[in-house]
Amino acid sequence: MSRTILTLATTGPGLYEFTDRAVHFVAQAGIATGLLTLFVRHTSCSLLIQENADPDVRVDLDAFFRRLVPSADDPAMEYLVHRAEGPDDMPAHLKAALTPVSLGVPVMDGRLVLGTWQGIYLFEHRARPHRREVVLHLAG
């Protein structure tokens, strides 16, 4: 078993790829077969496995979620009660409720078993910069 906590700096909403850091962690762990569990320790961001070849995919995903869950300033969101931390806070919690906060990726032959175009992303839902923590736990 091996574990670590990654700190990822974000500058606003969007997808932040950290596949390379997960690949490095697995390679250093020396475990040939197992499962890497990733868990984000926050309630206003999430984790995704998504295409990493075409940057338009990230742009479209971000645009979709902004349209699906607009800012609390939007008249469609007037029903929201939780507004203490700004107009992006409760919408960020809603987006995090719709997307995973943990992922599992198999490890075979000491490597992550990701598809050719798959990358691991932190999906930031808040407008201001944050330092996010992602726990990596490899069991094998």
Side-chain angles (χ1 to χ4, degrees):
M1 179 178 63
S2 187
R3 61 187 177 278
T4 193
I5 298 175
L6 301 179
T7 301
L8 305 171
T10 66
T11 57
L15 287 105
Y16 296 82
E17 186 173 8
F18 65 100
T19 311
D20 57 344
R21 294 178 70 181
V23 165
H24 179 75
F25 168 74
V26 169
Q28 296 298 312
I31 295 174
T33 303
L35 180 68
L36 175 65
T37 302
L38 304 97
F39 174 76
V40 65
R41 300 177 63 186
H42 306 279
T43 60
S44 56
C45 63
S46 52
L47 298 172
L48 293 179
I49 293 177
Q50 197 47 253
E51 178 179 327
N52 64 358
D54 185 349
D56 287 345
V57 172
R58 294 187 299 274
V59 171
D60 289 345
L61 278 167
D62 189 47
F64 170 78
F65 276 96
R66 278 187 281 116
R67 187 174 177 180
L68 182 67
V69 184
S71 171
D73 293 352
D74 188 293
M77 302 300 276
E78 66 184 23
Y79 64 90
L80 294 178
V81 175
H82 177 72
R83 296 169 180 263
E85 296 179 49
D88 70 324
D89 186 43
M90 189 60 213
H93 293 300
L94 293 170
K95 291 173 188 174
L98 296 170
T99 51
V101 296
S102 67
L103 301 171
V105 182
V107 173
M108 292 173 50
D109 300 322
R111 296 177 28 195
L112 290 174
V113 186
L114 291 170
T116 303
W117 307 115
Q118 289 182 318
I120 303 169
Y121 293 89
L122 176 95
F123 195 3
E124 178 62 68
H125 304 305
R126 294 297 306 267
R128 66 180 175 84
H130 281 82
R131 294 181 61 75
R132 302 302 197 169
E133 292 183 347
V134 179
V135 177
L136 277 60
H137 180 266
L138 178 57

